[in-house]
Amino acid sequence: MPAMRLNWKGLAAAAAMAVAAQAATAAVPLPSLGANPAEVSVSGLSAGGFAAVQLHVAYSATFKRGAGVVAGGPFYCAEGSVLNATGRCMTHGSSIPVSSLVSTTNSWAASGAIDPVSNLSASKVYMFSGTSDNTVKQAVMDDLKTYYQSFVPAANIVYKNNIGAGHAMVTDDYGGACSTTAAPYINNCGFDLAGEILTQIYGPLNPRNNGTLGGTFTEFNQSEFVTGHGMAATGWIYVPQACTTTSCRVHLVLHGCKQNYSDVSDQYVRKTGYNRWADTNNIVLIYPQTSTAATNSCWDWWGYDSANYAKKSGPQMAAFKAMIDRVTSAGGGSGLPAPTGVGTSGATSSSMVIGWNAVSGASGYNVYRGGSKVNASPVTATSYTDSGLAASTSYSWTVAALNASNAEGAMSTAATGATTAGSGGGGTGTCYTASNYTHTIAGRAYALYGLTYAYGSNQSMGLWNIYATTTLKQTGPNYYVIGSC
């Protein structure tokens, strides 16, 4: 993973977004395959490795089979700070507070921000760190092992750390020299890492297909699940031929920084070794893609997009979950399309109104927050008030239509919204007056496209530099508004 430099694209980004919009129109919807929801797993490299840990821990009820982590680190390692991300979580220049991260994990699980940690006890973990990796040091992966041992039995963890690989996804027959760290960050080390990851997660596998693959690659429309938030308009899915008629396993594969389709074309999608194992072992592979708007094409594992990046409500996290839900559904059984126009309004400190357009033929609707259904009985109207929420917190909702038998149709695109700061916040709170650059370094704001935005409220603060000065008022945990005390 290259150094975390903020990469502004200006007008070129606008042009890229226009092209992406055209690509989304041409791409097909992610298919409903009726895949086995009990056989879902995830793996990733670098930023994808950190994101894989996030998904495995936050959505442990979904990614219950396990995770493969290549050059990643402990859950919530950065704690919302880019300085932590580039420091202790990569170079290990300072120690990672593993015990504190374990405590945060337990606390978030208790509050429902992530799934119960008890789900992790039956999952499998495979970890890989190259001895020549100077981007994410082995000491970071050592800390990841220590973190996982708080939740996963030691017998369920494999840690491979004795190959002289650089910072890259490792194969046994494709890529650059083993010890290098250079684009496309795929190295030939004579070691089949994809096969080892899938074997650890799923157990003994059939021999891989080294010839022509029998399945199909499809570019699918990611915009169904999220718009913006550092994610491209399209992603890729590989479906083995058998999985068109058989309920298969599902593995989500997350690329690293500077490895999306715009950066390295289809090399990560086709050359990392996963597909030939999937082809003979009935494993559907989903390859989500970041966009050029994402910092260095990285997944959000330190908070560049959302303060809730490691929780189920994180926009990228909720999008990944929605992709899994689509592939593991059997078309909903009802044939009803996904509701359109899903949006949020009427925010209070503890509730949000979710609204949508009516679906012809629907007898009711189910509403999901962060992938979990929130309505006790079918909703007959085209709006729902979700209550019991935390103040100053962002959430994500999706909606599915029901037929007369209460069978669900396709899931909607996710809509996000943030609750207000709550009573007593009016003239109270702590204020910080500083340059926009200082606000981002302190974790009160984030930068995107050369502009600065307040965490929580997402209010625009102007240019990201040391000259623009803004006063931010903290009105809740990780929630800031432009104003004064």
Side-chain angles (χ1 to χ4, degrees), residues 6 33 44 49 55 88 94 124 236 248 294 307 309 327 345 349 353 381:
L6 298 180
L33 298 172
L55 277 173
R88 71 191 192 192
S94 59
K124 300 290 186 68
W236 292 85
C248 289
Y309 67 93
V327 171
S345 63
S349 61
V353 177

Side-chain angles (χ1 to χ4, degrees), residues 59-102:
Y59 278 113
S60 58
T62 296
F63 296 91
K64 60 186 67 176
R65 282 311 298 257
V69 186
V70 184
F75 178 79
Y76 200 48
C77 182
E79 294 187 293
S81 166
V82 68
L83 293 182
N84 286 342
T86 56
R88 71 191 192 192
C89 300
M90 294 174 63
T91 65
H92 210 265
S94 59
S95 61
I96 297 174
V98 176
S99 60
S100 175
L101 299 179
V102 169

